[in-house]
Amino acid sequence: MNDETIAVVDFETTGMSPAQGARATEVAAVLVAGGRIVGRFQSLMNSGARVPPFIEQLTGISNAMLADAPPACAVMHELMRFTQGCPLVAHNAAFDRGFWEAEAARADCVPDDAHRFACTLLLARRLYPQAPNHRLGTLAAWHGLHSAGRAHRALADAEVTAQLLLRMQHDLCERHAALVAQSPGGADHALLCALQRLPRRQIERLGACASAP
């Protein structure tokens, strides 16, 4: 087990994309190291944007709640400090990366070179093709992962994603031990980023080649 610390991130938002004017309403980051969760950060964030009724029904985050929340720019600066030097993971990372980059830019945060995203959705499609589907809730139920709160709240979703990440790292070590052994950092973030770009059959072939005498 390597000593790398990974930050698992989840945003709740007013819509699907910053390019369409959506803003973040809540963010959480869960730190994973040494095979366990070692830290948590969560905050609502007031950007001045209004929460549509269907989003409020989905997340439980209301405009009244955001009225008393800290400014989005202040939250992003605190989040950047909390995750400093950590590579990032999210489920459907393209979504969270878009809001991370947009909110960080609005807050004039200094970019951190360590903040590269790996995606548990892409990895799940490669590691668990037999799962009913690869939504976070489905994978959590399929693996028997513990849920500590309401789905579509940032901390609850980040914690489940962190548990899924730990399960993936364990399964990689069990099922693709020879492949993991060839990675300088074991089942680390760099290996996850490499594997998420490969077809599933290529991962299986690489594992077979690595284990051949």
Side-chain angles (χ1 to χ4, degrees):
M1 186 72 63
N2 66 71
D3 58 1
E4 175 183 53
T5 300
I6 295 173
V8 180
V9 176
D10 186 84
F11 281 94
E12 301 303 328
T13 69
T14 62
M16 291 301 296
S17 170
Q20 298 172 353
R23 296 294 304 273
T25 58
E26 185 179 40
V27 66
V30 173
L31 301 184
V32 172
R36 61 191 182 93
I37 291 172
V38 298
R40 295 170 177 85
F41 169 88
Q42 177 275 334
S43 181
L44 293 169
M45 45 200 305
N46 184 354
S47 68
R50 299 290 295 174
V51 180
F54 77 96
I55 295 290
E56 181 177 344
Q57 185 175 11
L58 177 69
T59 65
I61 298 172
S62 68
N63 289 300
M65 291 166 63
L66 294 183
D68 296 326
C73 60
V75 174
M76 284 305 300
H77 280 282
E78 191 174 355
L79 177 66
M80 295 289 281
R81 286 192 293 272
F82 183 75
T83 61
Q84 184 176 5
C86 299
L88 307 176
V89 165
H91 197 75
N92 190 17
F95 174 87
D96 294 282
R97 180 173 56 239
F99 283 95
W100 178 288
E101 292 174 350
E103 296 293 347
R106 285 177 178 269
D108 291 325
C109 295
V110 177
D112 186 329
D113 289 340
H115 286 162
R116 296 178 298 109
F117 276 87
C119 180
T120 50
L121 173 61
L122 295 179
L123 288 161
R125 288 172 177 166
R126 286 150 177 80
L127 296 178
Y128 311 120
Q130 69 275 37
N133 61 61
H134 298 96
R135 293 192 292 268
L136 181 60
T138 301
L139 290 167
W142 193 64
H143 283 299
L145 304 179
H146 174 67
S147 177
R150 172 177 173 161
H152 301 296
R153 289 300 301 264
L155 184 58
D157 284 355
E159 291 221 18
V160 171
T161 304
Q163 292 179 58
L164 179 60
L165 169 65
L166 291 171
R167 177 61 184 263
M168 288 177 165
Q169 290 177 309
H170 173 270
D171 289 348
L172 277 169
C173 292
E174 289 289 314
R175 292 161 44 188
H176 299 286
L179 181 60
V180 171
Q182 290 190 335
S183 170
D188 64 354
H189 189 271
L191 181 62
L192 299 178
C193 286
L195 294 181
Q196 72 185 11
R197 295 191 295 266
L198 298 179
R200 177 172 57 86
R201 290 182 179 176
Q202 187 173 349
I203 294 173
E204 293 171 352
R205 287 198 300 271
L206 287 172
C209 291
S211 61

